[in-house]
Amino acid sequence: MRIDIITIFPDYFVPLELSLIGKAREAGILDVRLHDLRSWTHDRHNTVDDTPYGGGPGMVMKPEPWGEALDAVTADDPAPARLILPTPSGTPFTQEHAKRLSQQPRLVFACGRYEGIDARVAADAAERMPVEELSIGDYVLAGGEAATLVVVETVSRLLPGVLGNAESAVQDSFASGAMENLLEGPVYTKPARWRDQEVPPVLLSGDHGAVDRWRRHEALRKTARNRPELLRELAAQRLESMDRRD
Ligand SMILES: COC(=O)COc1cccc(COC(=O)c2cn[nH]c2)c1
């Protein structure tokens, strides 16, 4: 997968040289390219923003640099690019969404700042490529860089060969299958006793059936405590599938 990131703060993405993503880049699984939006400005001050039409606080990112940047970044590779725009007003980003994005050959991230990017940029790009406005949560960041790191990490770890033990990507919370859409319960490792706390004996029993039942029970307990609305969805899905069978 090729990932292009356009930002006024390329240094924000040094973390993508580390750890799993860094190794995936060295292995050629991931091709991450950083682009400074100011490379496509032509005035003395490398201006990327201006006051909003219609008034109001803050500044809006000018369309011209973005248009030229997106043209340049998508010109050199025939593989179809998908433009991702992290924004508080985007559609919620979920693990399901990450799975879909991990199937794409190319992703281009536009990191907005200030009050946002001139809306004509996304409209213009949509004439040539799929454009997705994504929200990673209901809060406002100073810019799209942190959200882009979240999406890139979530998507990249699903690519074959990125995680040493592909199994753990399958068993993740929100992974479909084994635990449906439940939250992951507690995990333990050696020592069996630590600061007067014992590891739950069932986990040392060797009884895999009992371990699976215990893990499912713990996942249900945690989901009921932290995300009760997920249980309502799960119950509705279960009822629907039972109704279909009847
Ligand atoms: C069309 O896209 C844009 O204009 C993007 O503009 C902005 C403006 C301010 C901040 C951000 C960064 O995204 C978030 O804050 C965000 C994403 N998820 N949850 C919070 C982006």
Side-chain angles (χ1 to χ4, degrees), residues 24-179:
R25 292 173 73 178
E26 282 161 25
I29 299 170
L30 258 184
D31 170 12
V32 179
R33 304 183 194 191
L34 297 177
H35 309 277
D36 185 340
L37 179 67
R38 295 190 197 275
S39 311
W40 288 279
T41 58
H42 310 293
D43 63 305
R44 192 150 48 96
H45 298 292
N46 299 116
T47 311
V48 293
D49 64 325
D50 203 335
T51 53
Y53 274 121
M59 301 289 272
V60 173
M61 297 192 98
K62 292 167 58 63
E64 300 97 325
W66 279 108
E68 289 182 32
L70 288 169
D71 289 351
V73 162
T74 54
D76 66 342
D77 187 328
R82 179 174 288 261
L83 177 61
I84 309 291
L85 282 158
T87 169
S89 55
T91 54
F93 177 62
T94 63
Q95 189 69 17
E96 281 310 306
H97 210 140
K99 277 189 207 152
R100 284 203 305 278
L101 291 181
S102 71
Q103 315 289 329
Q104 299 298 321
R106 277 197 72 185
L107 299 176
V108 179
F109 288 85
C111 299
R113 291 235 140 210
Y114 314 114
E115 299 309 306
I117 303 172
D118 184 299
R120 290 169 292 182
V121 172
D124 171 65
E127 290 167 13
R128 289 183 297 284
M129 67 192 92
V131 176
E132 294 188 30
E133 295 192 347
L134 288 189
S135 165
I136 63 164
D138 292 337
Y139 38 77
V140 182
L141 300 162
E145 286 78 9
T148 296
L149 277 174
V150 166
V151 176
V152 167
E153 180 164 322
T154 312
V155 169
S156 300
R157 66 187 290 279
L158 297 176
L159 297 177
V162 173
L163 281 187
N165 165 12
E167 173 67 18
S168 56
V170 172
Q171 292 295 329
D172 278 357
S173 284
F174 299 105
S176 52
M179 293 290 208

Side-chain angles (χ1 to χ4, degrees), residues 185-192 197-200 203-204 214-215 218:
V187 288
Y188 301 88
T189 186
K190 294 187 267 312
Q197 292 187 67
E198 299 282 346
V199 168
L203 297 179
L204 310 176
W214 181 86
R215 282 179 169 157
E218 289 302 311

Side-chain angles (χ1 to χ4, degrees), residues 193-210:
R193 181 182 176 77
W194 176 73
R195 292 190 180 182
D196 293 339
Q197 292 187 67
E198 299 282 346
V199 168
V202 66
L203 297 179
L204 310 176
S205 70
D207 178 344
H208 299 300

